[in-house]
Amino acid sequence: MLKTGGMLVSTLGQPPRGKAQQPKACSIAYMLQPNGTQLAEISRLIEQGQVRPCVEEAFPFAQVREAE
């Protein structure tokens, strides 16, 4: 589910046309090469509490439509 103007990002290749069906939504592919050194640094930052997600609000799955 995408909100109006949202973006569908796929790490598996270009999403099929029509997958981003909401008005003004778009889709792109995002590919990269894994880098062990960078992943280890990211892991270290998470473990030290220097990287934290910001969650404004959480919804139970049954209320997914209200999350828009």
Side-chain angles (χ1 to χ4, degrees):
M1 172 181 276
L2 291 175
K3 68 179 182 178
T4 299
M7 179 176 293
L8 171 65
V9 180
S10 172
T11 59
L12 302 174
Q14 186 64 37
R17 289 184 187 262
K19 278 290 187 183
Q21 297 175 352
Q22 297 295 330
K24 299 183 182 178
C26 61
S27 61
I28 62 169
Y30 178 78
M31 305 297 284
L32 62 102
Q33 294 294 321
N35 179 307
T37 302
Q38 290 175 345
L39 292 173
E41 176 66 9
I42 292 168
S43 176
R44 184 185 69 74
L45 292 170
I46 291 170
E47 289 171 359
Q48 290 179 348
Q50 294 182 16
V51 175
R52 292 181 302 272
C54 293
V55 179
E56 185 174 317
E57 194 169 354
F59 293 84
F61 189 75
Q63 295 177 331
V64 70
R65 290 194 184 274
E66 297 172 30
E68 291 185 39

